[in-house]
Amino acid sequence: MLSTLLRCILLWLFAVGGASASTAFFYGQKVPVDQLSLYSRAVVLPENLDTPEERNWLNGDTAVIAYLSLGEVAENAHHFKRVKPHWKIAFNANWQSHVMDVASPEWHRFVIEELVAPLVRQGYRGLFLDTLDSYLLADARAEHYGEGLARLIHKIHARWPELYLIANRGFEIMPQVAPVIDELVAESLFSRFDAGRDSYGDTTEEQQAWLIARLKEIREHHRLPITVIDYLPESQFERAAALAERIAALGFNPWITNGHLTLLGRNRVVPIPRRILAIYHDRDRGTYYSRPHQSLASTAEYLGYQLDYLNLHHQMLPDYPLTNRYAGVALWLGEDIPHSAQLCRWLERRVGGAGLRVAIFGNLPNDPSCLQRMGLESIAAQPRKFAVAQARPQAIGYETKARPRLNAPVPFRSVSGENRPWLILRDSEGMEVHPVLTGPWGAWRWASSPSTLAPGT
């Protein structure tokens, strides 16, 4: 019965759909190689490819494109300390970065030998050239800097003609560089991100009309494929599909993500997440002997999913957006639940913020915020004789009859009309408990040790 119940719960929780291929953009850590491999090209921050699996991805079918800022260097960049003071001509307070003298032959040599050459040796097959209009912040000698930047791009192409070059805007120099550019990107057509205020908002009709006119002009004169990146907070990512369709209707390739590009974004079709984040707490045993692996892995794999294991005993909860990366989250916790309040806040922020469901097996974090979100209440009941009052037949009682045990009280029950108990136990005094239930937030199956239900359930 357990395997049937698990299949029902996982199928109910994590059913999703779609996939696509064009250029994807992802600047976060823990690079989701599997999902990004569905695209023809993927732009990443090179410093974030630091595991063997991620580095091996460079040899795959997807052309991995390295992000490269030609016009600015951020103060937290790995090469910032090697930047000469006289290369700096302005400061961009929004991104805490310095604008470079893009006409300087010294800067050209540094970019080619110290930045691009190592990327080519590592196996990157293209460059995403960013900050191409930052020199305009200097308010002087704009034409001089623009000509110098165009020369730098031509030098890169002349040395590595096989590299796929993507330009981020750079409208002022497009007539000079279009012959060596393979794709154009423009940001914030309909929805923008303000880095200085860390806020999102819609662009004005005037801004939209201006950018659309420029993009159509470039498409007509230079025949370049154009990708538009628009930004949404994760909490509003349900708008992404409509936004992508709106961009595609203009003939541009859409990419919708969050402001820092740490969310696995989407274009017109979203890939199917096939991973489940399995969280547990175990001081002594490794992953193989953990409850998620022993009890959930085979069922998840049968349904086409893969578990990513996280042991709270020595690993931190992920602090990155989960949208599109995971189909859902599974928690298997014993009586010793570390940092219950922190776990509940994470479930609210990251799991709830991504619109994911969570399957909880075993104990719940006994924190008011968790219980309120799930529509449950804690009950202090001693072990007593329960009988099965109601059971969902396709999941419970299908393989063998459920037989409640007496020596393990169920500590929670549902108090929300939105929850659906799959199993209701009732004692002689009329007290009801709900060892298995689902709700808008996910599902819970009580499993103490020894189990509330007899073996086989």
Side-chain angles (χ1 to χ4, degrees):
M1 181 183 291
L2 177 58
S3 61
T4 301
L5 176 59
L6 291 178
R7 281 197 292 270
C8 290
I9 289 176
L10 293 177
L11 274 174
W12 182 84
L13 284 173
F14 304 139
V16 281
S20 176
S22 55
T23 302
F25 299 79
F26 184 81
Y27 294 174
Q29 297 179 335
K30 304 282 186 182
V31 179
V33 170
D34 289 351
Q35 291 99 319
L36 291 175
S37 295
L38 297 173
Y39 299 92
S40 302
R41 294 166 296 277
V43 177
V44 299
L45 297 183
E47 58 267 30
N48 288 343
L49 262 63
D50 53 10
T51 68
E53 178 191 13
E54 291 167 352
R55 288 192 293 269
N56 188 58
W57 181 43
L58 295 169
N59 303 315
D61 294 333
T62 298
V64 185
I65 311 295
Y67 173 91
L68 180 64
S69 175
L70 286 188
E72 296 183 23
V73 177
E75 293 184 345
N76 62 354
H78 68 91
H79 57 280
F80 177 73
K81 292 183 179 180
R82 290 182 283 159
V83 171
K84 302 293 178 62
H86 61 274
W87 295 348
K88 305 172 186 177
I89 60 173
F91 184 72
N92 186 342
N94 284 339
W95 293 100
Q96 295 298 302
S97 58
H98 296 264
V99 179
M100 296 293 104
D101 178 358
V102 290
S104 165
E106 291 183 24
W107 174 245
H108 290 193
R109 283 193 295 272
F110 180 83
V111 168
I112 291 172
E113 301 299 338
E114 302 296 327
L115 301 182
V116 180
L119 294 173
V120 175
R121 288 194 295 270
Q122 291 171 41
Y124 288 93
R125 285 184 260 170
L127 302 171
F128 176 50
L129 307 177
D130 196 17
T131 61
L132 299 185
D133 51 7
S134 296
Y135 65 86
L136 298 174
L137 295 174
D139 293 328
R141 305 178 69 194
E143 184 175 348
H144 166 72
Y145 291 128
E147 291 174 352
L149 181 57
R151 286 196 302 272
L152 173 56
I153 294 172
H154 275 276
K155 288 178 183 178
I156 294 172
H157 174 74
R159 182 156 170 183
W160 296 284
E162 73 282 2
L163 287 180
Y164 189 92
L165 298 183
I166 306 175
N168 189 6
R169 291 204 176 208
F171 297 147
E172 293 77 14
I173 63 170
M174 196 50 56
Q176 298 99 297
V177 301
V180 299
I181 293 297
D182 297 288
E183 183 177 345
L184 177 70
V185 165
E187 302 171 86
S188 305
L189 175 53
F190 297 115
S191 185
R192 61 180 175 79
F193 174 68
D194 187 329
R197 294 187 174 92
D198 194 27
S199 63
Y200 297 82
D202 295 332
T203 57
T204 65
E205 292 185 0
E206 291 77 12
Q207 290 170 330
Q208 296 167 13
W210 180 87
L211 182 54
I212 291 171
R214 298 303 300 268
L215 295 178
K216 287 184 174 180
E217 178 185 349
I218 291 172
R219 184 174 60 189
E220 179 181 348
H221 286 89
H222 303 295
R223 305 296 179 186
L224 289 175
I226 296 174
T227 297
V228 169
I229 304 176
D230 265 20
Y231 300 108
L232 289 173
E234 187 177 21
S235 60
Q236 298 180 24
F237 216 68
E238 69 276 0
R239 296 173 49 200
L243 191 55
E245 291 295 338
R246 190 177 179 189
I247 294 169
L250 296 169
F252 308 132
N253 301 315
W255 186 257
I256 315 300
T257 182
N258 67 345
H260 295 283
L261 290 91
T262 54
L263 183 151
L264 180 59
R266 58 164 294 170
N267 48 28
R268 297 183 71 182
V269 184
V270 61
I272 300 175
R274 305 307 299 179
R275 291 177 178 269
I276 296 172
L277 181 60
I279 301 173
Y280 65 102
H281 181 252
D282 196 322
R283 288 189 173 89
D284 305 316
R285 297 175 293 183
T287 299
Y288 180 81
Y289 293 102
S290 68
R291 293 302 297 271
H293 183 75
Q294 292 293 319
S295 301
L296 297 180
S298 60
T299 300
E301 291 166 6
Y302 175 81
L303 297 172
Y305 295 98
Q306 177 178 334
L307 298 187
D308 286 351
Y309 298 96
L310 189 148
N311 189 346
L312 291 175
H313 180 58
H314 60 268
Q315 292 176 286
M316 301 290 291
L317 292 166
D319 191 27
Y320 51 76
L322 304 182
T323 295
N324 292 344
R325 293 176 68 120
Y326 288 105
V329 174
L331 257 64
W332 199 306
L333 302 172
E335 295 180 2
D336 181 17
I337 303 176
H339 312 297
S340 287
Q342 179 184 345
L343 177 58
C344 288
R345 287 194 297 270
W346 180 84
L347 288 171
E348 178 69 27
R349 179 185 175 213
R350 286 300 180 197
V351 180
L356 298 180
R357 290 169 172 170
V358 55
I360 303 176
F361 301 89
N363 279 292
L364 287 169
N366 194 4
D367 184 87
S369 63
C370 265
L371 298 183
Q372 182 178 6
R373 177 174 180 266
M374 298 172 185
L376 303 176
E377 72 173 0
S378 177
I379 55 176
Q382 296 299 316
R384 62 181 70 197
K385 186 174 182 179
F386 284 101
V388 175
Q390 182 180 331
R392 185 169 176 172
Q394 64 267 46
I396 297 174
Y398 177 76
E399 293 172 326
T400 184
K401 187 177 180 180
R403 301 184 303 277
R405 283 188 173 179
L406 304 179
N407 57 350
V410 180
F412 305 101
R413 66 182 173 193
S414 173
V415 291
S416 170
E418 293 186 310
N419 289 336
R420 291 184 57 198
W422 287 22
L423 177 64
I424 299 175
L425 304 181
R426 185 179 299 132
D427 69 1
S428 57
E429 298 177 4
M431 172 180 279
E432 287 188 356
V433 292
H434 311 122
V436 185
L437 59 84
T438 59
W441 47 270
W444 173 53
R445 173 190 175 271
W446 169 244
S448 65
S449 180
S451 179
T452 302
L453 303 178
T457 63

